[in-house]
Amino acid sequence: MSAPVEQEYEALLQFMYMAPIGLVQTLADGEITMVNPLCAQLLMPLSPDGQLANLFTALEAVVPDLRQRVREFPDAYGTICDAQQVPISTGQAGRRQHQVLSLTLLKLDAERLMAVLSDVTQSVRRERELRQSQAWINTLAIGLSDYALVSLDHRGCVKGWNPSISRITGFSREQVEGRSLSMFYPADAMSDQRVLDRLHEADLTGWSLDEGWCSRADGGRYWGSCLIAPLHDSDDTPADELAYSLIIRDVSDRREAAEAMLKAVSCDHLTGLFNRRAFVEAAELEMQRWARSPRPLSLVMIDADHFKRINDQYGHVTGDGVLRHLAASMTATFRAMDVLGRFGGEEFIVLLPDTSVEGAELVAQRLCRLIEATPAAVGEHTVRYTVSAGVAAMDADATDFDALVQRADEALYAAKARGRNRVERWQAATQPAAVR
């Protein structure tokens, strides 16, 4: 190496080690050739073996499609992903700390990649609070001529008639008075318990805002913004005298932009289900609701059986098609209010609010039967495959979300050990010794 080149290399090394962000350089297959201390500190909790030899291996649990995206990137150089949010968890069960990292991956040439990592946990939290504040302002200031104003009682039931309800939703006085606000949502999108959760959250923060599909009286749907705000102003108000206002707005004109933003921030690149960060965030909210008011809450872990064989026989492109088929089958099987996510590789996860372990087991069995009966058609291939599932429920002995995931994961391994293409429920006394 000539003296000028060596000096440049030393300068690059010094820059990497002094940079206030995490930097790592790898070969095309993810093998790490250079990493600065900050990046090593951020990546170490993700490394399955405590070693930092390969970037793809370190990130596989939280960004399972990264290797495939690098392989499919068509250009000689450029940005493969830009500021993708990556959730990580550190600490022991019961004392987990959740962080959000920002990952930017650049292709330098045919043989080299450069990744930039930074901790954006606080920024993500502030951004979420800002979005909520902006939504509140928009609700007050934009389109106030096109809204429905509804008064609710302490149960979330409509107290009185307002003509604006009919204008926006098409429901008549007889259809709405005394009915729960869940009637304004698709049938499987809002339970009575979820209504009470939203009222309680409005009491805690001053308001509760939700945006998504709403239902009209004729069966049609629209993209609605639903804001709940308490009308009582004292903590001394008797529980049965609590009252709320509900403002429903038809914001269908901005649905595509809202869905595009949601997909970019919260959805898995391959399947369209929640990514790990968004799933953990939604799960933490359900944990808070469960801690405040314990009710049935179940988790299902789902894994495609012998998925490596599918990749080996048909190739990764067909394997990706199978994963998309599995995600679509999950969406068709579970309810709109259930939280569906891709947890890593061929492993998927579903959180079912207001659902007992028996109910979760039944719907998981229904998914298994659907997958077995409906092969995935990917290009010229028809791929028959099965899935295994593990089911667990929240109780007083499961201290947090991580403990619930561990139970469902143990049940999933039991299903694998007992022949696959089946569902197993977590039971401490019957788990295989190797799993325990």
Side-chain angles (χ1 to χ4, degrees), residues 229-246:
L231 295 176
H232 47 274
D233 57 1
S234 171
D235 293 336
D236 299 328
T237 304
D240 59 355
E241 295 180 16
L242 298 178
Y244 305 83
S245 64
L246 169 66

PDB file of all heavy atoms in Angstrom, residues 229-246:
ATOM      1  N   ALA A 229     -63.174  12.802  23.496  1.00  0.00           N
ATOM      2  CA  ALA A 229     -62.690  13.723  24.529  1.00  0.00           C
ATOM      3  C   ALA A 229     -63.683  13.712  25.690  1.00  0.00           C
ATOM      4  O   ALA A 229     -64.901  13.670  25.481  1.00  0.00           O
ATOM      5  CB  ALA A 229     -62.548  15.134  23.968  1.00  0.00           C
ATOM      6  N   PRO A 230     -63.183  13.725  26.926  1.00  0.00           N
ATOM      7  CA  PRO A 230     -64.087  13.737  28.088  1.00  0.00           C
ATOM      8  C   PRO A 230     -64.795  15.088  28.232  1.00  0.00           C
ATOM      9  O   PRO A 230     -64.201  16.143  28.003  1.00  0.00           O
ATOM     10  CB  PRO A 230     -63.149  13.466  29.269  1.00  0.00           C
ATOM     11  CG  PRO A 230     -61.799  13.887  28.796  1.00  0.00           C
ATOM     12  CD  PRO A 230     -61.766  13.663  27.325  1.00  0.00           C
ATOM     13  N   LEU A 231     -66.065  15.036  28.621  1.00  0.00           N
ATOM     14  CA  LEU A 231     -66.827  16.247  28.893  1.00  0.00           C
ATOM     15  C   LEU A 231     -66.813  16.606  30.377  1.00  0.00           C
ATOM     16  O   LEU A 231     -67.101  17.746  30.742  1.00  0.00           O
ATOM     17  CB  LEU A 231     -68.276  16.068  28.424  1.00  0.00           C
ATOM     18  CG  LEU A 231     -68.478  15.893  26.919  1.00  0.00           C
ATOM     19  CD1 LEU A 231     -69.945  15.622  26.607  1.00  0.00           C
ATOM     20  CD2 LEU A 231     -67.996  17.126  26.180  1.00  0.00           C
ATOM     21  N   HIS A 232     -66.484  15.654  31.244  1.00  0.00           N
ATOM     22  CA  HIS A 232     -66.382  15.921  32.673  1.00  0.00           C
ATOM     23  C   HIS A 232     -64.997  16.485  32.962  1.00  0.00           C
ATOM     24  O   HIS A 232     -64.018  16.168  32.284  1.00  0.00           O
ATOM     25  CB  HIS A 232     -66.614  14.642  33.479  1.00  0.00           C
ATOM     26  CG  HIS A 232     -65.839  13.477  32.971  1.00  0.00           C
ATOM     27  ND1 HIS A 232     -66.294  12.654  31.945  1.00  0.00           N
ATOM     28  CD2 HIS A 232     -64.609  12.991  33.298  1.00  0.00           C
ATOM     29  CE1 HIS A 232     -65.399  11.721  31.687  1.00  0.00           C
ATOM     30  NE2 HIS A 232     -64.365  11.902  32.503  1.00  0.00           N
ATOM     31  N   ASP A 233     -64.891  17.309  33.954  1.00  0.00           N
ATOM     32  CA  ASP A 233     -63.623  17.966  34.248  1.00  0.00           C
ATOM     33  C   ASP A 233     -63.165  17.734  35.679  1.00  0.00           C
ATOM     34  O   ASP A 233     -62.330  18.459  36.191  1.00  0.00           O
ATOM     35  CB  ASP A 233     -63.723  19.471  33.979  1.00  0.00           C
ATOM     36  CG  ASP A 233     -64.840  20.130  34.779  1.00  0.00           C
ATOM     37  OD1 ASP A 233     -65.511  19.404  35.558  1.00  0.00           O
ATOM     38  OD2 ASP A 233     -65.044  21.341  34.633  1.00  0.00           O
ATOM     39  N   SER A 234     -63.686  16.743  36.323  1.00  0.00           N
ATOM     40  CA  SER A 234     -63.315  16.515  37.716  1.00  0.00           C
ATOM     41  C   SER A 234     -63.118  15.032  37.970  1.00  0.00           C
ATOM     42  O   SER A 234     -63.872  14.196  37.481  1.00  0.00           O
ATOM     43  CB  SER A 234     -64.396  17.068  38.662  1.00  0.00           C
ATOM     44  OG  SER A 234     -64.138  16.667  39.992  1.00  0.00           O
ATOM     45  N   ASP A 235     -62.070  14.721  38.745  1.00  0.00           N
ATOM     46  CA  ASP A 235     -61.838  13.332  39.117  1.00  0.00           C
ATOM     47  C   ASP A 235     -62.891  12.819  40.093  1.00  0.00           C
ATOM     48  O   ASP A 235     -62.966  11.618  40.348  1.00  0.00           O
ATOM     49  CB  ASP A 235     -60.449  13.186  39.752  1.00  0.00           C
ATOM     50  CG  ASP A 235     -59.335  13.450  38.754  1.00  0.00           C
ATOM     51  OD1 ASP A 235     -59.589  13.292  37.543  1.00  0.00           O
ATOM     52  OD2 ASP A 235     -58.224  13.827  39.179  1.00  0.00           O
ATOM     53  N   ASP A 236     -63.667  13.735  40.638  1.00  0.00           N
ATOM     54  CA  ASP A 236     -64.676  13.350  41.617  1.00  0.00           C
ATOM     55  C   ASP A 236     -65.999  12.956  40.980  1.00  0.00           C
ATOM     56  O   ASP A 236     -66.950  12.598  41.684  1.00  0.00           O
ATOM     57  CB  ASP A 236     -64.908  14.500  42.608  1.00  0.00           C
ATOM     58  CG  ASP A 236     -63.643  14.849  43.391  1.00  0.00           C
ATOM     59  OD1 ASP A 236     -62.858  13.921  43.637  1.00  0.00           O
ATOM     60  OD2 ASP A 236     -63.451  16.021  43.719  1.00  0.00           O
ATOM     61  N   THR A 237     -66.095  13.063  39.649  1.00  0.00           N
ATOM     62  CA  THR A 237     -67.344  12.719  38.973  1.00  0.00           C
ATOM     63  C   THR A 237     -67.648  11.236  39.168  1.00  0.00           C
ATOM     64  O   THR A 237     -66.790  10.386  38.903  1.00  0.00           O
ATOM     65  CB  THR A 237     -67.245  13.011  37.468  1.00  0.00           C
ATOM     66  OG1 THR A 237     -66.888  14.369  37.272  1.00  0.00           O
ATOM     67  CG2 THR A 237     -68.572  12.726  36.770  1.00  0.00           C
ATOM     68  N   PRO A 238     -68.831  10.891  39.636  1.00  0.00           N
ATOM     69  CA  PRO A 238     -69.179   9.470  39.791  1.00  0.00           C
ATOM     70  C   PRO A 238     -69.040   8.721  38.474  1.00  0.00           C
ATOM     71  O   PRO A 238     -69.291   9.282  37.397  1.00  0.00           O
ATOM     72  CB  PRO A 238     -70.640   9.522  40.254  1.00  0.00           C
ATOM     73  CG  PRO A 238     -70.789  10.874  40.878  1.00  0.00           C
ATOM     74  CD  PRO A 238     -69.903  11.785  40.107  1.00  0.00           C
ATOM     75  N   ALA A 239     -68.648   7.461  38.550  1.00  0.00           N
ATOM     76  CA  ALA A 239     -68.354   6.687  37.347  1.00  0.00           C
ATOM     77  C   ALA A 239     -69.532   6.641  36.388  1.00  0.00           C
ATOM     78  O   ALA A 239     -69.356   6.728  35.163  1.00  0.00           O
ATOM     79  CB  ALA A 239     -67.929   5.269  37.732  1.00  0.00           C
ATOM     80  N   ASP A 240     -70.761   6.521  36.934  1.00  0.00           N
ATOM     81  CA  ASP A 240     -71.916   6.389  36.042  1.00  0.00           C
ATOM     82  C   ASP A 240     -72.375   7.728  35.482  1.00  0.00           C
ATOM     83  O   ASP A 240     -73.348   7.778  34.721  1.00  0.00           O
ATOM     84  CB  ASP A 240     -73.070   5.693  36.763  1.00  0.00           C
ATOM     85  CG  ASP A 240     -73.510   6.434  38.015  1.00  0.00           C
ATOM     86  OD1 ASP A 240     -72.868   7.441  38.379  1.00  0.00           O
ATOM     87  OD2 ASP A 240     -74.505   6.002  38.635  1.00  0.00           O
ATOM     88  N   GLU A 241     -71.688   8.826  35.859  1.00  0.00           N
ATOM     89  CA  GLU A 241     -72.035  10.138  35.323  1.00  0.00           C
ATOM     90  C   GLU A 241     -70.982  10.668  34.349  1.00  0.00           C
ATOM     91  O   GLU A 241     -71.101  11.788  33.852  1.00  0.00           O
ATOM     92  CB  GLU A 241     -72.223  11.138  36.468  1.00  0.00           C
ATOM     93  CG  GLU A 241     -73.407  10.819  37.373  1.00  0.00           C
ATOM     94  CD  GLU A 241     -73.571  11.835  38.496  1.00  0.00           C
ATOM     95  OE1 GLU A 241     -72.957  12.924  38.384  1.00  0.00           O
ATOM     96  OE2 GLU A 241     -74.308  11.550  39.458  1.00  0.00           O
ATOM     97  N   LEU A 242     -69.959   9.864  34.079  1.00  0.00           N
ATOM     98  CA  LEU A 242     -68.941  10.286  33.123  1.00  0.00           C
ATOM     99  C   LEU A 242     -69.568  10.434  31.735  1.00  0.00           C
ATOM    100  O   LEU A 242     -70.442   9.663  31.353  1.00  0.00           O
ATOM    101  CB  LEU A 242     -67.805   9.257  33.066  1.00  0.00           C
ATOM    102  CG  LEU A 242     -67.013   9.027  34.354  1.00  0.00           C
ATOM    103  CD1 LEU A 242     -65.968   7.949  34.140  1.00  0.00           C
ATOM    104  CD2 LEU A 242     -66.360  10.318  34.834  1.00  0.00           C
ATOM    105  N   ALA A 243     -69.111  11.434  30.987  1.00  0.00           N
ATOM    106  CA  ALA A 243     -69.657  11.698  29.658  1.00  0.00           C
ATOM    107  C   ALA A 243     -68.525  12.119  28.723  1.00  0.00           C
ATOM    108  O   ALA A 243     -67.524  12.698  29.153  1.00  0.00           O
ATOM    109  CB  ALA A 243     -70.726  12.780  29.722  1.00  0.00           C
ATOM    110  N   TYR A 244     -68.723  11.819  27.441  1.00  0.00           N
ATOM    111  CA  TYR A 244     -67.679  12.070  26.448  1.00  0.00           C
ATOM    112  C   TYR A 244     -68.313  12.591  25.168  1.00  0.00           C
ATOM    113  O   TYR A 244     -69.497  12.376  24.899  1.00  0.00           O
ATOM    114  CB  TYR A 244     -66.910  10.782  26.136  1.00  0.00           C
ATOM    115  CG  TYR A 244     -66.320  10.114  27.353  1.00  0.00           C
ATOM    116  CD1 TYR A 244     -67.101   9.270  28.152  1.00  0.00           C
ATOM    117  CD2 TYR A 244     -65.000  10.328  27.714  1.00  0.00           C
ATOM    118  CE1 TYR A 244     -66.564   8.656  29.274  1.00  0.00           C
ATOM    119  CE2 TYR A 244     -64.459   9.725  28.832  1.00  0.00           C
ATOM    120  CZ  TYR A 244     -65.250   8.898  29.611  1.00  0.00           C
ATOM    121  OH  TYR A 244     -64.728   8.303  30.732  1.00  0.00           O
ATOM    122  N   SER A 245     -67.492  13.264  24.374  1.00  0.00           N
ATOM    123  CA  SER A 245     -67.922  13.642  23.024  1.00  0.00           C
ATOM    124  C   SER A 245     -67.091  12.851  22.020  1.00  0.00           C
ATOM    125  O   SER A 245     -65.904  12.583  22.245  1.00  0.00           O
ATOM    126  CB  SER A 245     -67.733  15.137  22.779  1.00  0.00           C
ATOM    127  OG  SER A 245     -66.361  15.496  22.831  1.00  0.00           O
ATOM    128  N   LEU A 246     -67.735  12.472  20.942  1.00  0.00           N
ATOM    129  CA  LEU A 246     -67.078  11.746  19.859  1.00  0.00           C
ATOM    130  C   LEU A 246     -67.239  12.552  18.579  1.00  0.00           C
ATOM    131  O   LEU A 246     -68.362  12.907  18.200  1.00  0.00           O
ATOM    132  CB  LEU A 246     -67.714  10.361  19.693  1.00  0.00           C
ATOM    133  CG  LEU A 246     -67.324   9.575  18.431  1.00  0.00           C
ATOM    134  CD1 LEU A 246     -65.856   9.194  18.455  1.00  0.00           C
ATOM    135  CD2 LEU A 246     -68.202   8.332  18.277  1.00  0.00           C
TER     136      LEU A 246
END
